[in-house]
Amino acid sequence: MLRITELTKRYGDHAAVDSLTLHIARGEVYGFIGHNGAGKTTTLRSVAGIQSFDSGSILVDGTDITKDPIGCKRKMAYIPDNPDLYDFMSGAQYLGFVADIFGLGKEERTERIGRYSEMFGLTKDLGQPVSAYSHGMKQKLAIISAWIHEPGLILMDEPFVGLDPVASHTLKEMMREFCDRGGSIFFSTHVLEVAEKLCDKVAIIRQGKLIRSGTMDEVKGDDSLEDVFLELEAKND
Amino acid sequence: MTRTLLKKQFREIFRSFFFDPKRNAMRSGGQIAARIVLYAVLMGFLLVNIGVTLSVALLGLAFGGMDWLYFLIIGLVSVLFGAMGSVFSTASSLYLAKDNDLLLSLPIPVGSIIVSRIAGVYLMGLVYSGIIFLPSVFAYCIGVRFSISVVLTWLLWAAGISLLVLDISCLLGFVVAKLMVRLKNRSVLTVIIAVVLIGLYYFLSFNARNVISGLVADGEKVGERISFLRFFGAAPTGDWAACAVFVLAVAAISGLVWLLLRKTFIKIVTLSPGAKKNLRGAADTGRTRTVSGALLVREIRKFTSSAGYMLNCGMGIILMLIGGVAVIITGRDIAAALGPLVSTGMTSLTVMLACAVSLLASMVDITAPSVALEGKTVWILQSLPVPASKVLSAKLACHGLFAGAPALFCSACAAFSVPGLDAADIVSIFVLPLSAVALISTLGLFLGLVNPNLKWTSEIYPIKQSMPVTVCVIAGMLYPVVIMGVFSAFRLLVPAFPAPLYIGIFAAVNFGLSFMFYRLVMTKGARTFSGL
């Protein structure tokens, strides 16, 4: 579903992402972990088509993001680490806007928005302006907006930050169910316990370079993911 | 602490001079110098055209011994000019700044936060009121009399004026902020409040001439009856007693305003604006639109949800509606009044009407700050499957809708209410304003795509202080005046040159330039937007 090959992004002399290669197949929940500033957000933004990169290629379902960005964006959804949404819209208007962009019909949008907002307990707040939402509510709204058009690939940058335990649990279930139905999820997280339980595969990035990737068993073996991560960090210091 | 916050505030205000957001790096020395020179030229232009003209025009009062009246009128105009349009910008930068929560969470005294916020308001008021009051002392010292006392008292008076501007701005900003946090449906009611305030402002502005005439005619009587006005005017003339009274009065007013801000700041800031129920709720999701329709509605919502945006970039809409109604009522009188001027052959009623509507239409500059206003939400459009050209088209369509419809209304009112116009004249009165709308919308969007600042903490920075808005406002005001002036000069060479043909040539040039900017926006601009 997503094939990243030799991706490199530089800011001046500093390589934020350095020759990164990853392949995310259909049905996989793929975790992306690394220290702050490791290059996770840059990678996700490049895949989402909102940031240019210097070299390498990104294929979404076989389509090159640089050649057909609109086609790629139709197949995926992106949730940033800090979802700044339109303050001048209500939650319902925002979801309606996203539904319009993806050309969702009246019945399907009503059904999906109703279903997902119920799951996150956001139904009664949909009429409120986004400016009145808490961080967690904005995060829930961004998640719903990503799910309503049923993309093939969902990119998420720290999706659990700001969510209450119930919403966190709901999101994990949604992620698993989404991938079980053939979708793919590529997400970054610092919560290693979540990554360990949820992910089919995981990649560890350090200073822009991929230092380990594979199935959860391949990466961590008999240790915990936290132990492996700390060990790799220490080794590369 | 206050110094640190002030540094942060001023760094933000002047950020566009020094920092290039596109390259995420500091500008070169040459670029910084060019921007500063451009800004200085623009301000110098306003200073000469408004401030110097007013000072010289009123100097006769000082020659006639009514020095206090000379400074009183200058002072009142300075206060009006300085506080103009500051209602929503003050509310926005004081109470609705994005980093209020951050600053309140830090161990910073509330007073320091308020000081840093109002310092920006003060600076803006000082610049705009200074354009009016700065030349007054030079005109007075050169034309009437010079003494150290005059200069010293004028300095105190000028400081007092700038504080009065700040006081008025803060008071109005306080009222607006209080209203905003109480409104159930902000977008609609804010529009109404904005319209009422704009109407009130223009009512006062239009009556200012009568007030000034009245002051000139009965200055002594007014001065006797309202003694503060006399102190206000006499303060900068070297009259130390009047100066002391004026300074003390301003200090007292400023003290009261400070207490009010200090006491209410946290309460207003921590009330989430519009945190009331929107009755439509989930029903808003059910209506389907095309992609272009959804993007246009998004632009309209953005424009109508921000009072600051409407007030600063949509003032021409109200003026065109008011102007249209006014010309229906006074069309015959306008024709009669301009008759003698038209009969000289130096100008034409058609040119004057077409330029007048164009002037009002050019006061709508919705597209100019629209790219910068995307701010931190720009990721949404960039991550959605929408070509940047469609997003930019929606911005142009929004501008066209809000400026074009009232321009058509105003043109129709002018064309069919003023007698003596033939079919070609009528077409001219429609075509020139529409070409002005096309030009300002495409020019504004083109400029808006040149290094937009997306990292603002108050939307008032892109709306009021950005380069695209400044250029559009000045170009929009100057261009129709230039067209009228060139026509008069042209008539000297070719006395019988038909006005509709002349207007047609300029309209064609406008449409040609608009097409050029449109192409640039849709090609280079779209690429720039995608990479922001």
Side-chain angles (χ1 to χ4, degrees), chain A residues 45 48-50 70 73-74 76 78-80 82-90 92-98 100-102 104-106 109-110 113 124-129 131-132 142, chain B residues 98 186 272-291 294-295 298-299 301-302 305 374 376-377 379-388 530-532:
Chain A
R45 283 171 60 85
I50 58 179
I70 303 296
K73 287 172 189 178
R74 279 207 187 92
M76 62 183 172
Y78 168 66
I79 304 169
N82 192 6
D84 288 296
L85 307 175
Y86 296 135
D87 280 353
F88 56 89
M89 289 183 182
S90 68
Q93 287 171 340
Y94 179 71
L95 294 176
F97 170 71
V98 174
D100 284 333
I101 297 296
F102 283 94
L104 293 186
K106 191 173 177 177
R109 75 170 63 185
T110 306
I113 290 170
K124 67 179 172 53
D125 295 309
L126 283 184
Q128 300 256 19
S131 57
Chain B
K98 300 254 184 223
R186 286 178 68 201
S272 180
K276 301 282 190 330
K277 289 282 177 196
N278 173 337
L279 296 175
R280 284 183 59 78
D284 273 341
T285 60
R287 191 168 167 186
T288 56
R289 295 185 179 91
T290 61
V291 172
L295 291 169
R298 189 193 78 98
E299 293 297 333
R301 280 188 179 137
K302 174 78 190 160
S305 71
E374 297 292 343
K376 290 178 181 169
T377 64
W379 70 270
I380 297 173
L381 291 173
Q382 289 175 333
S383 66
L384 290 174
V386 183
S530 301
L532 287 175

Side-chain angles (χ1 to χ4, degrees), chain A residues 6-227:
Chain A
E6 295 289 312
L7 177 70
T8 299
K9 171 68 185 176
R10 291 183 175 280
Y11 294 108
D13 294 334
H14 169 67
V17 181
D18 195 354
S19 301
L20 180 81
T21 298
L22 280 177
H23 174 220
I24 293 149
R26 285 181 199 280
E28 279 180 354
V29 179
Y30 207 118
F32 198 31
I33 59 179
H35 60 86
N36 292 328
K40 302 185 296 294
T41 297
T42 302
T43 305
L44 284 165
R45 283 171 60 85
S46 300
V47 175
I50 58 179
Q51 184 161 42
S52 62
F53 46 92
D54 299 309
S55 61
S57 72
I58 295 170
L59 301 181
V60 178
D61 199 18
T63 310
D64 192 324
I65 187 85
T66 54
K67 290 185 180 142
D68 183 9
I70 303 296
C72 287
K73 287 172 189 178
R74 279 207 187 92
K75 297 173 189 167
M76 62 183 172
Y78 168 66
I79 304 169
D81 55 345
N82 192 6
D84 288 296
L85 307 175
Y86 296 135
D87 280 353
F88 56 89
M89 289 183 182
S90 68
Q93 287 171 340
Y94 179 71
L95 294 176
F97 170 71
V98 174
D100 284 333
I101 297 296
F102 283 94
L104 293 186
K106 191 173 177 177
E107 280 75 28
E108 55 188 343
R109 75 170 63 185
T110 306
E111 187 275 316
R112 288 177 198 172
I113 290 170
R115 174 158 42 105
Y116 291 122
S117 51
E118 273 301 312
M119 287 171 77
F120 280 112
L122 204 64
T123 309
K124 67 179 172 53
D125 295 309
L126 283 184
Q128 300 256 19
V130 171
S131 57
Y133 278 24
S134 67
H135 178 90
M137 287 162 79
K138 284 184 187 174
Q139 187 74 0
K140 289 175 186 175
L141 191 67
I143 292 167
I144 296 170
S145 72
W147 249 262
I148 56 170
H149 57 91
E150 296 190 342
L153 170 68
I154 296 179
L155 310 165
M156 294 189 284
D157 198 352
E158 296 290 349
F160 298 101
V161 173
L163 291 182
D164 57 57
V166 176
S168 246
H169 176 73
T170 305
L171 177 61
K172 281 181 238 170
E173 287 196 330
M174 282 169 67
M175 288 167 72
R176 191 66 265 167
E177 193 210 350
F178 176 77
C179 292
D180 288 346
R181 284 191 285 117
S184 307
I185 288 178
F186 183 37
F187 78 107
S188 72
T189 184
H190 288 299
V191 190
L192 300 182
E193 292 82 2
V194 170
E196 194 168 347
K197 284 181 186 161
L198 195 63
C199 297
D200 300 310
K201 286 186 178 171
V202 68
I204 300 174
I205 184 173
R206 189 173 194 285
Q207 292 176 349
K209 283 182 186 285
L210 186 70
I211 53 173
R212 188 171 290 187
S213 67
T215 62
M216 193 55 77
D217 286 342
E218 286 168 355
V219 169
K220 74 179 182 70
D222 293 333
D223 297 324
S224 73
L225 186 60
E226 186 177 27
D227 290 340

